[in-house]
Amino acid sequence: MDHMSGPYLVRGSVSLPEAELMWRFSRSSGPGGQHVNTSDSQVELRFDLANTEALPEVWKRRALERLAGRLVDGVVTVRASEHRSQWRNRETAAVRLAALLAEATAPPPKPRKPTRIPRGINERRLREKKQRSDTKRGRSGRDWG
C-alpha cells in the first residue's frame, strides 16, 4: 500500500484538514519483536475542534457539546497502537477521528410525530378485548351449578 490515503471524509464534502492534524508518536506498550523499543509506533492524533475552520459552524457547536467529556481545551485526542507499523496506526487514528467527528456532528434525529389511530381500528381492539375477557370469565367455572 502507498502512503496516507487522501483526505479523511467526515461527512458529505467535509474532510479533516491535513494541516490541522497534530500527530505525536511514542513507543507502544504491548507486544513486538526486538524492534519494539526503538520504533515509535503508537500514534496520538490531536485535532483542535474549538478553533478549526474546517467544520461548518453548526457542526462545530454540536460536536463541542457532544464531545465535551473528552475534550481538553477544545482539543479532541485519538490514540492508536494496535498495529506494529506506525503508518497503519496513523491510518487507524485518522479514520477513528473522522468517525468520531461524523457521529458528533450528525444532525439530531427528527422528533417523532404521534399519529392518530383510526377509530375503526381502536373500536375493533376494544371489541376483541371484551370478547377475550368474556371467554376467560367463562372459564372460571363458578357458574357450573
Side-chain angles (χ1 to χ4, degrees), residues 2 19 67 74-75 81 90 92 98:
D2 57 326
L67 297 175
V75 176
S81 60
R90 284 177 68 146
T92 308

Side-chain angles (χ1 to χ4, degrees), residues 27-38:
R27 305 219 171 118
S28 258
S29 57
Q34 292 99 322
H35 193 52
V36 69
N37 297 326
T38 56

Side-chain angles (χ1 to χ4, degrees), residues 5-89:
S5 59
Y8 292 94
L9 282 180
V10 176
R11 215 173 56 250
S13 58
V14 180
S15 60
L16 292 177
E18 198 64 55
E20 292 186 30
L21 300 180
M22 297 170 280
W23 297 97
R24 270 201 21 223
F25 306 104
S26 54
R27 305 219 171 118
S28 258
S29 57
Q34 292 99 322
H35 193 52
V36 69
N37 297 326
T38 56
S39 59
D40 294 339
S41 60
Q42 172 168 290
V43 170
E44 187 179 282
L45 172 56
R46 291 165 59 225
F47 179 66
D48 191 344
L49 188 54
N51 300 314
T52 183
E53 298 290 308
L55 299 178
E57 200 47 48
V58 195
W59 287 25
K60 198 155 102 173
R61 273 205 305 276
R62 234 181 258 154
L64 285 169
E65 243 168 70
R66 291 193 189 159
L67 297 175
R70 49 176 301 177
L71 292 178
V72 181
D73 300 332
V75 176
V76 62
T77 307
V78 178
R79 270 192 204 86
S81 60
E82 47 273 31
H83 304 293
R84 276 178 62 181
S85 88
Q86 182 182 304
W87 73 261
R88 279 182 61 194
N89 280 331

Side-chain angles (χ1 to χ4, degrees), residues 78-141:
V78 178
R79 270 192 204 86
S81 60
E82 47 273 31
H83 304 293
R84 276 178 62 181
S85 88
Q86 182 182 304
W87 73 261
R88 279 182 61 194
N89 280 331
R90 284 177 68 146
E91 289 278 303
T92 308
V95 168
R96 236 178 243 170
L97 178 63
L100 185 70
L101 289 176
E103 205 174 297
T105 57
K110 291 197 170 62
R112 179 181 171 282
K113 211 169 84 194
T115 51
R116 291 206 41 208
I117 300 173
R119 199 161 136 209
I121 289 179
N122 209 14
E123 284 175 356
R124 190 183 74 198
R125 184 179 65 87
L126 293 174
R127 241 195 343 271
E128 286 171 358
K129 265 174 76 117
K130 218 183 197 71
Q131 245 175 352
R132 165 82 49 221
S133 83
D134 287 348
T135 306
K136 289 189 170 188
R137 247 219 335 270
R139 286 182 190 152
S140 67

